[in-house]
Amino acid sequence: MRSVKLSILRGIRAIKYSQWLNKKFPGLKNKDLWRGDRNTFAKAGFVGAFCAFIPVPLQMPLAAIIAYYAKANIPFSVALAWITNPVTMWPIWTFGYLVGAKILDMPTLRNIEVTEGLGVLGWMTEVFPQIWLPLWFGNIFMGTLVGVGLYIIIRFIPIPHFNKNNIKKTAD
């Protein structure tokens, strides 16, 4: 277990002190982006959950970049982007698609007829043009909803770790 923690810390240090990344993102050494407080963790909760629901590849770098500009905790937002992994992405994105189709009042896959066959050409010419809008809209809607929920929970629900810091500040 200790070796896992050390390898994670080495990876974070390699990212944090990379010369190339520090040229592109000069504020990368800001401690709040890596350690953080209740506010940066709440922002990271929103960013990570939102990026997890977006149906695109490379959600982790997207979460890291958005967290950098939002001044949120980068490791936590990237970890939350792992919610959608190869096992969970299909049920999550399918549910988002169904929510989007319901909200936009569009037909679901059961109601779409394919005349070109079920090959790639038929899917790309007949199915995808009908499902991309509810897929994106539903997943962005669900990501926003889950992200706002996480933000509220982290920001306003009493968490013992964060309360210790608040007690010390008020005692001084």
Side-chain angles (χ1 to χ4, degrees):
M1 186 68 176
R2 183 180 169 121
S3 64
V4 172
K5 287 182 182 179
L6 289 175
S7 65
I8 290 172
L9 287 175
R10 281 189 203 118
I12 289 174
R13 284 186 190 121
I15 293 169
K16 189 175 175 182
Y17 296 111
S18 167
Q19 290 180 359
W20 182 82
L21 283 174
N22 281 307
K23 284 180 186 175
K24 299 290 181 188
F25 304 103
L28 202 57
K29 289 186 182 178
N30 183 357
K31 290 182 181 182
D32 287 339
L33 296 177
W34 300 97
R35 289 187 197 153
D37 56 0
R38 183 183 287 269
N39 187 36
T40 58
F41 275 101
K43 289 178 190 177
F46 177 81
V47 169
F50 181 76
C51 289
F53 278 85
I54 296 176
V56 296
L58 302 174
Q59 296 165 323
M60 291 183 303
L62 179 66
I65 291 168
I66 293 173
Y68 171 78
Y69 287 112
K71 297 196 183 333
N73 185 281
I74 292 174
F76 187 56
S77 63
V78 170
L80 282 175
W82 291 342
I83 291 171
T84 49
N85 56 52
V87 175
T88 61
M89 73 172 60
W90 302 115
I92 289 173
W93 290 349
T94 301
F95 181 71
Y97 163 72
L98 293 173
V99 168
K102 182 78 171 171
I103 291 173
L104 297 174
D105 196 30
M106 296 182 76
T108 59
L109 282 174
R110 295 182 190 137
N111 302 333
I112 298 173
E113 291 187 25
V114 180
T115 58
E116 294 287 324
L118 291 177
V120 174
L121 180 64
W123 195 90
M124 290 301 287
T125 58
E126 295 185 31
V127 177
F128 186 72
Q130 295 182 41
I131 70 165
W132 74 269
L133 184 61
L135 176 71
W136 274 84
F137 182 79
N139 281 299
I140 288 174
F141 176 77
M142 291 301 299
T144 304
L145 196 67
V146 171
V148 167
L150 267 176
Y151 181 85
I152 290 171
I153 288 170
I154 295 170
R155 185 80 172 121
F156 299 111
I157 302 292
I159 300 171
H161 172 72
F162 290 117
N163 288 342
K164 289 178 188 175
N165 294 339
N166 291 340
I167 291 170
K168 288 179 187 175
K169 289 179 184 175
T170 57
D172 293 337

